[in-house]
């Protein structure tokens, strides 16, 4: 089994985080991030961003931007305009 270096993992996490911040939509499929690394690496990076509160997991392979809310802890899905009318990209 190949070891994944933490430095490389941080690069993938930071690249995904930048990609999420720069997008208009609030909902993302895991498949949209395959260009950043292997499926396992992308999964670990998305899990880390979820633990940090940057993303909220909506379902299997579906994540959304998160924003802090005093009513819910630690975060709620972001209410961007595209969130309500989300459809998978083809």
């Amino acid at each position: 089994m190949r070891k994944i270096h933490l430095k490389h993992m941080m690069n993938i996490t930071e690249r995904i985080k930048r990609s999420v911040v720069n997008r208009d939509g609030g909902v993302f499929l895991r498949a949209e991030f395959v260009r950043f690394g292997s499926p396992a690496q992308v999964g670990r990076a998305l899990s880390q961003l979820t633990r940090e509160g940057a993303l909220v997991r909506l379902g299997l392979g579906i994540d959304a931007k998160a924003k802090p809310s005093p009513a819910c802890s630690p975060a709620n899905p972001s209410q961007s305009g595209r969130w309500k009318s989300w459809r998978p990209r083809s």
Side-chain angles (χ1 to χ4, degrees):
M1 187 151 127
R2 224 171 82 181
K3 272 187 127 177
I4 297 173
H5 297 285
L6 183 59
K7 183 178 178 184
H8 183 64
M9 188 63 201
M10 293 302 287
N11 288 337
I12 293 170
T13 303
E14 289 301 315
R15 289 174 62 198
I16 290 174
K17 192 174 194 176
R18 273 186 269 144
S19 176
V20 167
V21 167
N22 292 330
R23 293 183 189 209
D24 292 330
V27 177
F28 309 99
L29 298 177
R30 180 183 301 236
E32 295 178 48
F33 301 112
V34 295
R35 68 182 183 272
F36 295 122
S38 72
Q41 291 171 322
V42 170
R44 283 191 295 272
L46 291 173
S47 292
Q48 181 177 345
L49 291 172
T50 300
R51 283 191 308 273
E52 291 174 4
L55 295 177
V56 175
R57 181 140 310 147
L58 299 178
L60 186 62
I62 305 171
D63 297 281
K65 285 183 186 179
K67 80 175 200 182
S69 170
C72 296
S73 64
N76 276 338
S78 174
Q79 293 295 323
S80 66
R82 218 171 133 200
W83 160 248
K84 294 176 184 170
S85 62
W86 175 79
R87 279 185 233 126
R89 295 180 185 173
S90 39

